[in-house]
Amino acid sequence: EEPGSEPVTMGFVGNCSTNWAAVILILTKLYDFHIGSVTESTLWRSTDYGSTYERMNDKVGSKTVLSYLYVCPTNKRKIMVLTDPEFESSVLISSDEGASYQKYRLTFYVLSLLFHPTEEDWALAYSHDQKLYSSVDFGRKWQLIHEHVTPNRFYWSVLGLDKEPDLVHMEAHTPDGNVQYVTCRAQMCTEANRNYPFPGFIDISSLVVQDDYIFIQDLHIVSTDGKQVFAAVQEWNQNDTYNLYLSDTRGIYFTLAMENVKTTRGISGNQMLDLYEVAGIKGMLIANKRQDNQVKTYITYNKGRDWRLLQAPAADLDGNDIHCILPFCSLHLQLQMSENPYLSGTISTKSSAPGIIVATGNIGAELSYNNVGMFISSDAGNSWRQIFEEEHNVWFLDKGGALVAVKQPTVPTRHLWVSFDEGRQWNQHSFSSVPLFVDGVLVEAGAENQIMTFFGHFSHRSDWQLIKIDYKSIFNRKCTEEDYQTWHLHNQGEPCVMGQKQIYMKRRAGNYCMLGKDYSRILSAESCICRAHDFECDYGYERRGDGNCRPAFWFNPSSVSRSCSQGQNYLNSTGYRKVVLNNCTKGVKEMYTARKQQCPNRPPKGLLLTTKDGKLTANMGNNVTFLVQLDELDFGDGTAVSYSNLSWTEEGIKHVYKSAGIFRVTALAENMLGYDTTTLFLHVTCPVEHVQLLAPFVVIRNKEINITAVVLPSHSRTVTYFWWIGNNTEPVITLDGSISHTFTSEGMHIITVQVAAANTILQDTKTIAVKEFFKSLLLSFSPNLDEFNPDIPEWRQDVGRVIKKALLQVTGFCLLLVAVFPGVPTAAELFLLPHKNQSEGKKKCEEELEQVSDIIVSALNQNLVEFELKPGVRVIVYNTQLTLAPLVDSNPRHSSSAMLMLLSVVFLGLAVFLIYKFKRYTSFCAGKFDLTSPPRGSRHTSSRILMHEAHIPISHKMHGKRPLNGLICSCFAWAVIC
């Protein structure tokens, strides 16, 4: 790859593949640090195990920039290459080991691919916008499965467990931000075909589908092989350590295996657990544990039942004695797996070479990253030898029959070292005339060929260098029976490991022969008699200082399993359980094994009632599914269902609520010995579509008024009201739609109500004029106005402004407020407000209002007040022929009862006159009114418009099915206020 004119760094992306036809594919990219992106890419192909390479850019498009290379795991002849989304979104597909490609455009950018474990043409693609797609023709066509899927939380079906091979498990986000576990068919994932196996929401990034288990809890899953789950959990008081837990075979009940296991943060920022499973020997693990502010390395041979420190080597590389006495001094190992798949990491084992462990470490009181060396064990960690003083990458050749070591990439080298006697002796070989920074090694390119491919660079500005090494010539011949010897697995001399004696075959040290592909590792395995160390503490029990398992403080061993019912049996734990995959027999097995006992007769207990989706809210009219084991379910709204009427408990019990409210849902289970009940409170809501604030336009200072918020559609006990009155910094919060308030100062006061229901918040605002006294009269209009009345707030606001202007021309009195009511016939109310409210001038102001009122009434009766609605259409304003409301103020000399009686007569008369005009559909009337008031202190400045709404509930019983219109509402409201 030719570097650009500016200094650049080439990056091997890790896209290297091999197959059985001696083909190697390598994708390289040219990254320009000045612009911060990839500018070029080259696809290389070799058909002779890396002896020669061909540039494939002309086969994929000379200008095409590639990003990732995928090889089908079930058919390595099929290749899928993705383009860089910065340039285009396409996929290139090959079915002939990368010799030719067909290009297909994509409508999305692929972030990752997941191939099906058995079907070679099936794949899942995850896009940059969190959408999941599926293809059943190896990427030629894609179909959307689900939107808003959590990254890396989608899985294909589990072979042998899922009925449909195209089933997809995924973690998906709901519109309200929750997370659910969803399954569906890859090509049939409509909402109707989706299943939700877990009733409720789960933690984000918690779904794991692995082997026989599905996890929906926030755990760090270490492994699930061997019919047991290793899980790491970080407790509330831990920062860089985790506790290690082991499950029973069902993966349900976990017991503590080790506390404070250390973690290491990787290059990409991920926390990696310092726990390593040794390949080839079941039950053997190595872990780094923080203890007393020190980190030490421990090893177990029975899946965490017992742990011990590592015995340090007896001598160093020069043969000098090492005085390291347990437990004060021991060998400590670095347990980080390499994030580069072509480097060995700090520890290596191979299932084809059981018992051989190669790792970076140090000798001392604790784990250190200074003065480290390379150590090897040939007997599964019982004894150790030092092999290098510096860090090396070590790979297994010939199925573990030989070892090859190369210095870390930070140090350039021309040599590699090969050992045929499990690291006792190393032979140096030169592979380059110039020291090379080795960035990775591809080992064993073919099944019948012994080939390694080194790749690296001479300097940070140089081109990539690929070196092919055929190590077949270092073997003299194929191994025969005489070249092998037996090796007995043991734990510090104890031959029974995981309940059996295991004998392996190994090549004799120093025999330069090739093992071959038919090499057999285990010669024999004989079961041992069960002893105490073959059993671990059962769930709810802890190992005490005497070695015995006792109940933990939180566990009651006398409690019977919830699934145990009358007439059935249950397993009564002895406090112990055999280590999973332990093969011991007889001995103490019967003494430690749980005993089968008959379930005692007992009343129902632990009844559980939930909704299928885990929510305590539901929308009115929708099906709500309850999950419960019960005899009878009372839905709280007068409906009850007997459990005996249901055929499948898994389907749950469905119910539709036809009204909003909070319902008490109760489940009952009973037998002859007693009963048990459980209750949940379900909030049934319907979406809030509209809210209007009911408040008078003008009120008397120091007199209490009612303020009401009307919600459409009406909600019962499921709405929260937030009232903001005046300049209050905190709202008044109520569950009722009305409050009372007294204004103590004159002026214009703003009231805002916010209504919260479910996920919706609506609000309405009104302005109220507060005065010591005022006067009002009702207005009507010539019938031609009704022909142009659209009954909308904006029109009423404009008409109110025009009416006020016409009245000002008659009286010159500027403190007028005009409120036009909704509905037809068109009607309005006129408010006359005093200029000032001074105690010494109050009588004069009252007289002035009376005079202005007389002038206005006289002008209205003479048809002198009119306005032009549009050219040719003039509207006359009339005084409604009713007794005028007297002057209203806060003086106690006015009779409240007389006022109410007078205005009730007005209300009744208008009801008879206007009831036929109503077109409302709800049990209340609503009006939107407009108030006009000049700025304080000026009689002649232009007025500003104040918009108001008012709703007064009218009962069905009083007015029948058709409620009264806005005019009557206003009259009734005024009577209440007065």
Side-chain angles (χ1 to χ4, degrees):
E1 191 71 41
E2 194 69 30
S5 57
E6 297 293 333
V8 295
T9 297
M10 298 294 294
F12 189 88
V13 192
N15 294 311
C16 185
S17 67
T18 66
N19 59 30
W20 304 117
V23 174
I24 301 176
L25 294 173
I26 297 178
L27 174 62
T28 61
K29 299 180 186 179
L30 184 65
Y31 186 88
D32 192 332
F33 281 101
H34 291 84
I35 63 175
S37 64
V38 174
T39 57
E40 299 177 26
S41 67
T42 303
L43 182 63
W44 306 86
R45 184 173 185 263
S46 173
T47 58
D48 52 10
Y49 292 111
S51 296
T52 60
Y53 284 88
E54 175 189 4
R55 291 172 65 110
M56 302 296 293
N57 285 29
D58 59 329
K59 301 294 178 62
V60 300
S62 58
K63 299 297 184 182
T64 301
V65 180
L66 305 177
S67 60
Y68 290 100
L69 166 69
Y70 294 91
V71 180
C72 177
T74 55
N75 183 357
K76 294 184 180 294
R77 294 181 59 85
K78 293 187 175 182
I79 313 296
M80 194 180 295
V81 187
L82 300 178
T83 60
D84 192 322
E86 294 291 332
F87 298 89
E88 62 174 311
S89 183
S90 300
V91 59
L92 294 100
I93 297 173
S94 173
S95 300
D96 53 8
E97 300 175 319
S100 61
Y101 295 87
Q102 295 81 42
K103 194 174 194 178
Y104 297 88
R105 292 282 183 180
L106 299 175
T107 59
F108 58 94
Y109 298 153
V110 178
L111 289 184
S112 61
L113 285 177
L114 179 65
F115 290 98
H116 194 276
T118 58
E119 298 292 334
E120 61 186 53
D121 289 334
W122 295 4
L124 300 178
Y126 187 75
S127 69
H128 69 293
D129 53 356
Q130 296 188 324
K131 295 179 181 179
L132 187 64
Y133 298 83
S134 68
S135 174
V136 293
D137 56 4
F138 202 70
R140 291 169 177 82
K141 295 191 296 284
W142 295 91
Q143 181 170 324
L144 178 65
I145 296 179
H146 204 295
E147 298 180 344
H148 308 298
V149 176
T150 306
N152 302 318
R153 299 295 170 174
F154 49 90
Y155 309 86
W156 277 112
S157 62
V158 180
L159 187 64
L161 297 179
D162 289 321
K163 295 179 180 179
E164 299 89 4
D166 62 341
L167 190 72
V168 178
H169 304 259
M170 70 193 105
E171 181 184 296
H173 295 246
T174 63
D176 56 1
N178 292 307
V179 181
Q180 287 181 305
Y181 168 33
V182 185
T183 63
C184 65
R185 306 281 293 274
Q187 298 285 303
M188 300 169 55
C189 199
T190 61
E191 182 61 41
N193 295 325
R194 292 172 183 166
N195 293 313
Y196 301 87
F198 179 71
F201 302 121
I202 63 176
D203 295 333
I204 188 171
S205 299
S206 65
L207 177 65
V208 176
V209 179
Q210 190 169 310
D211 295 329
D212 296 347
Y213 303 95
I214 296 175
F215 303 93
I216 48 174
Q217 197 169 359
D218 194 6
L219 298 173
H220 179 82
I221 306 302
V222 179
S223 70
T224 54
D225 57 348
K227 301 294 183 180
Q228 189 177 37
V229 179
F230 269 90
V233 178
Q234 191 167 49
E235 307 289 354
W236 63 272
N237 59 343
Q238 294 176 311
N239 292 320
D240 60 347
T241 61
Y242 280 73
N243 289 348
L244 181 65
Y245 289 86
L246 285 169
S247 77
D248 58 358
T249 55
R250 297 179 299 167
I252 298 177
Y253 296 108
F254 288 77
T255 57
L256 182 65
M258 175 177 273
E259 293 182 297
N260 296 318
V261 179
K262 176 183 174 293
T263 59
T264 304
R265 190 169 296 278
I267 299 176
S268 59
N270 297 326
Q271 274 196 326
M272 297 181 292
L273 200 66
D274 275 22
L275 178 70
Y276 184 81
E277 287 192 83
V278 178
I281 300 178
K282 63 180 181 180
M284 185 175 175
L285 299 100
I286 304 175
N288 285 329
K289 177 181 179 180
R290 185 178 299 279
Q291 186 175 5
D292 299 328
N293 294 322
Q294 291 183 324
V295 176
K296 299 175 182 287
T297 301
Y298 290 81
I299 190 169
T300 179
Y301 294 84
N302 52 9
K303 302 196 77 171
R305 196 276 192 197
D306 301 293
W307 298 86
R308 65 171 175 84
L309 296 168
L310 298 181
Q311 179 64 61
D316 60 17
L317 282 175
D318 298 326
N320 301 317
D321 291 340
I322 298 177
H323 301 284
C324 185
I325 307 300
L326 292 174
F328 310 103
C329 174
S330 60
L331 175 64
H332 308 283
L333 305 180
Q334 298 178 22
L335 303 178
Q336 290 83 47
M337 299 292 292
S338 174
E339 295 186 73
N340 181 346
Y342 304 104
L343 294 177
S344 65
T346 60
I347 184 168
S348 298
T349 59
K350 196 174 182 68
S351 58
S352 60
I356 300 179
I357 309 172
V358 184
T360 303
N362 68 282
I363 299 172
E366 62 177 328
L367 178 67
S368 173
Y369 294 90
N370 300 318
N371 301 319
V372 299
M374 298 298 298
F375 298 86
I376 190 170
S377 174
S378 301
D379 56 3
N382 284 283
S383 62
W384 295 83
R385 305 183 308 275
Q386 186 173 3
I387 54 177
F388 296 108
E389 291 182 343
E390 297 175 292
E391 291 187 65
H392 284 65
N393 281 286
V394 180
W395 292 271
F396 291 81
L397 304 181
D398 187 33
K399 301 188 181 301
L403 300 173
V404 60
V406 178
K407 286 186 178 181
Q408 287 283 4
T410 55
V411 181
T413 183
R414 295 187 296 114
H415 307 289
L416 59 83
W417 286 262
V418 179
S419 174
F420 293 91
D421 56 2
E422 299 176 349
R424 292 177 178 84
Q425 293 183 348
W426 293 86
N427 299 320
Q428 178 178 295
H429 297 270
S430 177
F431 65 85
S432 175
S433 59
V434 179
L436 180 74
F437 290 92
V438 179
D439 293 299
V441 176
L442 182 64
V443 183
E444 295 193 24
E448 299 294 335
N449 297 271
Q450 287 67 44
I451 293 175
M452 302 172 63
T453 302
F454 281 61
F455 59 89
H457 54 279
F458 294 131
S459 70
H460 292 291
R461 294 190 179 186
S462 68
D463 301 339
W464 279 109
Q465 304 295 320
L466 273 74
I467 300 174
K468 173 186 175 182
I469 301 175
D470 189 342
Y471 57 88
K472 184 177 182 180
S473 59
I474 63 178
F475 297 103
N476 298 328
R477 54 186 171 79
K478 284 192 175 182
C479 295
T480 62
E481 289 187 11
E482 288 75 20
D483 294 307
Y484 295 102
Q485 64 180 4
T486 59
W487 171 69
H488 296 254
L489 175 64
H490 66 93
N491 175 13
Q492 291 186 318
E494 169 57 57
C496 290
V497 177
M498 290 293 287
Q500 62 181 184
K501 298 176 182 179
Q502 302 176 51
I503 302 176
Y504 294 82
M505 282 199 312
K506 282 190 176 184
R507 184 176 54 191
R508 295 181 184 275
N511 287 19
Y512 288 69
C513 63
M514 188 180 302
L515 295 177
K517 63 179 181 179
D518 57 349
Y519 170 59
S520 178
R521 297 176 297 279
I522 298 181
L523 184 62
S524 67
E526 177 186 349
S527 294
C528 300
I529 298 298
C530 289
R531 291 180 289 176
H533 64 252
D534 295 311
F535 293 81
E536 61 187 358
C537 291
D538 201 356
Y539 173 77
Y541 292 81
E542 297 175 340
R543 193 172 301 279
R544 301 298 171 84
D546 58 2
N548 294 321
C549 296
R550 306 291 184 188
F553 74 92
W554 50 267
F555 182 68
N556 180 11
S558 63
S559 63
V560 182
S561 170
R562 287 186 178 183
S563 60
C564 186
S565 59
Q566 186 175 355
Q568 295 181 344
N569 296 321
Y570 75 102
L571 293 176
N572 188 10
S573 176
T574 62
Y576 300 86
R577 68 186 184 192
K578 192 165 74 168
V579 174
V580 177
L581 296 184
N582 186 292
N583 292 320
C584 73
T585 59
K586 300 180 180 179
V588 299
K589 180 178 180 180
E590 184 176 351
M591 182 176 65
Y592 284 111
T593 302
R595 299 174 178 85
K596 183 181 292 187
Q597 295 184 2
Q598 188 174 9
C599 296
N601 296 335
R602 59 191 178 98
K605 185 178 180 181
L607 191 63
L608 181 65
L609 173 62
T610 61
T611 58
K612 187 174 182 180
D613 59 5
K615 296 180 178 179
L616 294 178
T617 62
N619 290 329
M620 187 180 70
N622 289 359
N623 250 326
V624 182
T625 302
F626 296 93
L627 301 178
V628 67
Q629 296 293 330
L630 46 83
D631 290 327
E632 183 173 283
L633 178 64
D634 181 1
F635 293 100
D637 60 352
T639 307
V641 173
S642 174
Y643 169 70
S644 59
N645 293 334
L646 301 174
S647 58
W648 297 101
T649 59
E650 290 82 0
E651 295 179 0
I653 305 169
K654 301 183 185 299
H655 185 70
V656 176
Y657 289 88
K658 298 181 180 180
S659 61
I662 303 177
F663 297 92
R664 178 198 297 264
V665 184
T666 305
L668 167 70
E670 63 180 352
N671 60 15
M672 297 181 62
L673 298 177
Y675 67 93
D676 189 18
T677 62
T678 182
T679 301
L680 66 79
F681 295 90
L682 186 71
H683 293 239
V684 179
T685 62
C686 59
V688 176
E689 299 175 0
H690 184 68
V691 59
Q692 280 194 318
L693 185 60
L694 307 182
F697 311 115
V698 186
V699 300
I700 300 299
R701 185 174 68 88
N702 290 329
K703 285 211 170 182
E704 186 178 74
I705 63 168
N706 289 327
I707 306 170
T708 303
V710 178
V711 175
L712 284 178
S714 63
H715 285 59
S716 173
R717 300 178 296 164
T718 60
V719 174
T720 304
Y721 299 85
F722 300 85
W723 306 88
W724 305 82
I725 301 177
N727 296 322
N728 291 352
T729 57
E730 294 292 333
V732 177
I733 303 175
T734 68
L735 296 178
D736 189 21
S738 64
I739 62 171
S740 299
H741 186 74
T742 301
F743 291 95
T744 59
S745 61
E746 291 187 85
M748 308 305 293
H749 296 264
I750 298 176
I751 300 177
T752 298
V753 63
Q754 290 183 322
V755 176
N759 295 324
T760 304
I761 296 180
L762 299 179
Q763 77 173 35
D764 192 18
T765 300
K766 295 289 172 285
T767 301
I768 296 178
V770 179
K771 294 292 181 179
E772 287 285 344
F773 55 90
F774 59 87
K775 192 172 182 62
S776 69
L777 31 123
L778 299 174
L779 305 177
S780 59
F781 306 92
S782 54
N784 59 346
L785 181 60
D786 295 341
E787 300 175 11
F788 302 95
N789 185 349
D791 199 16
I792 59 175
E794 292 79 8
W795 183 86
R796 293 192 289 270
Q797 179 181 347
D798 293 338
V799 169
R801 190 163 47 243
V802 173
I803 296 171
K804 178 184 176 181
K805 182 177 180 181
L807 291 171
L808 287 174
Q809 293 176 354
V810 174
T811 66
F813 188 81
C814 63
L815 288 183
L816 302 177
L817 299 180
V818 179
V820 180
F821 304 138
V824 290
T826 308
E829 187 167 7
L830 172 64
F831 298 92
L832 288 77
L833 306 179
H835 290 291
K836 299 178 181 179
N837 285 300
Q838 299 177 355
S839 56
E840 63 274 9
K842 181 176 181 181
K843 183 175 179 66
K844 181 179 180 181
C845 290
E846 291 177 349
E847 293 174 353
E848 182 182 358
L849 288 185
E850 291 287 355
Q851 294 174 3
V852 174
S853 174
D854 293 341
I855 295 172
I856 294 176
V857 170
S858 176
L860 292 173
N861 291 336
Q862 299 178 54
N863 297 336
L864 297 179
V865 181
E866 62 177 13
F867 60 90
E868 187 176 49
L869 185 67
K870 57 184 296 185
V873 179
R874 299 196 66 81
V875 177
I876 301 174
V877 183
Y878 303 107
N879 173 31
T880 301
Q881 297 301 312
L882 296 169
T883 304
L884 290 177
L887 192 69
V888 181
D889 67 4
S890 57
N891 196 307
R893 71 175 182 270
H894 295 291
S895 172
S896 299
S897 59
M899 286 291 187
L900 287 173
M901 182 175 295
L902 172 64
L903 290 174
S904 296
V905 173
V906 174
F907 175 81
L908 181 61
L910 289 173
V912 174
F913 177 69
L914 296 172
I915 192 170
Y916 73 95
K917 287 292 186 180
F918 261 82
K919 300 178 182 179
R920 302 294 184 205
Y921 298 95
T922 53
S923 61
F924 62 89
C925 52
K928 196 168 184 85
F929 305 98
D930 312 299
L931 302 181
T932 308
S933 174
R936 184 177 299 175
S938 172
R939 293 188 57 156
H940 306 291
T941 56
S942 60
S943 62
R944 58 189 174 96
I945 306 301
L946 304 174
M947 299 182 62
H948 298 261
E949 296 183 7
H951 298 260
I952 303 298
I954 306 295
S955 72
H956 284 289
K957 183 176 180 181
M958 186 176 197
H959 300 292
K961 293 185 178 179
R962 189 179 297 274
L964 302 181
N965 70 4
L967 176 59
I968 299 174
C969 284
S970 299
C971 295
F972 183 62
W974 203 251
V976 173
I977 293 167
C978 295

